[in-house]
Amino acid sequence: MAETVLVEKSGRVAILTINRPDKMNALSEQVRVELLAALAEAERDEGVGVVVLTGAGEKAFIAGADIGEFAGRTPFDQRAAMRTPRIFDVMATFPKPVIAMINGFCLGGGCELAMSCDIRVASDRASFGQPEINLGLIPGGGGTQRMPRLIGLGQAMRLILSGDRIPVAEAKEIGLVDLVFPHEALREKTLELATRIAARSPLTLKVAKEAVRASERLAIEEGLMWERDLFCLCFSSADKQEGVEAFLAKRPPAWTGR
Ligand code: COA
């Protein structure tokens, strides 16, 4: 069976490419299994500091779940297919930063996967939407929960209830994407950002991501307490020692991830 997830390395950045361009990189069961395996390997590999997720070809990032697999499924079949671990949650809690490099259609489960990533960088040709309503469905990959947290209740309602597809400029305006680049420059610009992040201490990156992610589930008082505890925990790391000493000695820090 052909590989549906390609993995390449650029320095400390692992680039995972969903490779079903003739099916708009739809998230089949095989893609999900291979993506989980690629993420597990990227987690194990100390040479990987940041993961970039993208889609093969010029048209699509990911056009959603594989609709062909929905036909004829019973609720029990569907429940089995949605067993944990779910790629959306694995992405959101992955212990290294994950950047979605959105090169085209970013729809349904593709948009939900992008929302589960830490940063969304898009091509000026990308478009976005949650079209499940057109299939008699609702988003099932966390969209009804992550989208309102990211772009607010009203905009999330508009996109989920209408199923409308919006262009990248609008997605940027409402905060669904963070950075937009000309299509031809997308890879270079995304890798520049990823490489810059991957040069930081992996230990401190992990703690920073955990602290920011806590804001999705904690009330402000608990979140601020959690931040203070994690900030103080950093004082036990060799990298905090190194970072402060390097600053005071006016030299670049050499991180060890300890
Ligand atoms: N699942 C399965 N197959 C998909 C797919 C999906 N989510 N999205 C696209 N494809 C397939 C098409 O069936 C077609 O396959 P075929 O060549 O064997 O007929 C191929 O990808 C190309 O798609 P096509 O529709 O011909 O391209 P387009 O440029 O006219 O339109 C989209 C592109 C993305 C707008 C359109 O394919 C689409 O609306 N896809 C479904 C999006 C969706 O509803 N996602 C939510 C799923 S819950």
Side-chain angles (χ1 to χ4, degrees), residues 23-243:
K23 292 288 174 191
M24 300 283 160
N25 301 318
L27 290 175
S28 61
E29 172 73 13
Q30 191 192 344
V31 170
R32 288 196 297 266
V33 168
E34 288 184 21
L35 195 50
L36 284 171
L39 284 168
E41 180 51 35
E43 179 172 351
R44 256 193 312 274
D45 186 348
E46 287 193 5
V48 171
V50 169
V51 170
V52 168
L53 176 71
T54 194
E58 294 299 308
K59 288 181 84 174
F61 170 65
I62 300 169
D66 190 318
I67 301 172
E69 292 181 351
F70 288 165
R73 259 191 194 161
T74 68
F76 285 102
D77 297 336
Q78 184 57 32
R79 198 160 192 264
M82 293 172 86
R83 70 188 180 279
T84 52
R86 303 200 65 208
I87 43 171
F88 310 96
D89 305 330
V90 170
M91 255 345 157
T93 57
F94 194 71
K96 303 175 183 186
V98 186
I99 301 176
M101 181 164 82
I102 304 164
N103 51 313
F105 291 117
C106 180
L107 303 174
C111 192
E112 291 171 295
L113 200 54
M115 287 190 286
S116 305
C117 293
D118 301 313
I119 304 171
R120 283 151 294 282
V121 181
S123 141
D124 57 3
R125 293 192 203 157
S127 60
F128 299 78
Q130 294 293 157
E132 291 87 347
I133 201 91
N134 299 318
L135 301 167
L137 286 168
I138 68 169
T144 65
Q145 303 305 302
R146 289 202 173 94
M147 189 173 261
R149 282 169 169 81
L150 196 59
I151 63 174
L153 196 78
Q155 294 290 9
M157 283 289 190
R158 171 176 73 105
L159 292 179
I160 290 170
L161 301 183
S162 70
D164 283 350
R165 202 159 76 221
I166 59 169
V168 72
E170 200 176 327
K172 173 79 166 52
E173 193 182 302
I174 64 178
L176 190 52
V177 295
D178 304 302
L179 294 169
V180 180
F181 294 110
H183 189 74
E184 295 69 28
L186 177 67
R187 186 182 159 100
E188 184 196 338
K189 292 291 185 187
T190 309
L191 285 183
E192 268 175 30
L193 173 66
T195 301
R196 224 162 40 245
I197 294 174
R200 314 294 186 218
S201 157
L203 180 71
T204 320
L205 285 173
K206 182 172 152 183
V207 177
K209 173 166 172 172
E210 193 179 328
V212 177
R213 285 283 171 190
S215 72
E216 292 181 310
R217 60 173 198 278
L218 298 182
I220 184 80
E221 295 83 2
E222 287 87 45
L224 291 172
M225 252 194 304
W226 188 229
E227 180 195 80
R228 192 194 55 199
D229 286 349
L230 289 175
F231 181 81
C232 295
L233 189 65
C234 290
F235 279 66
S236 67
S237 77
D239 279 346
K240 173 262 168 189
Q241 206 73 14
E242 169 64 8

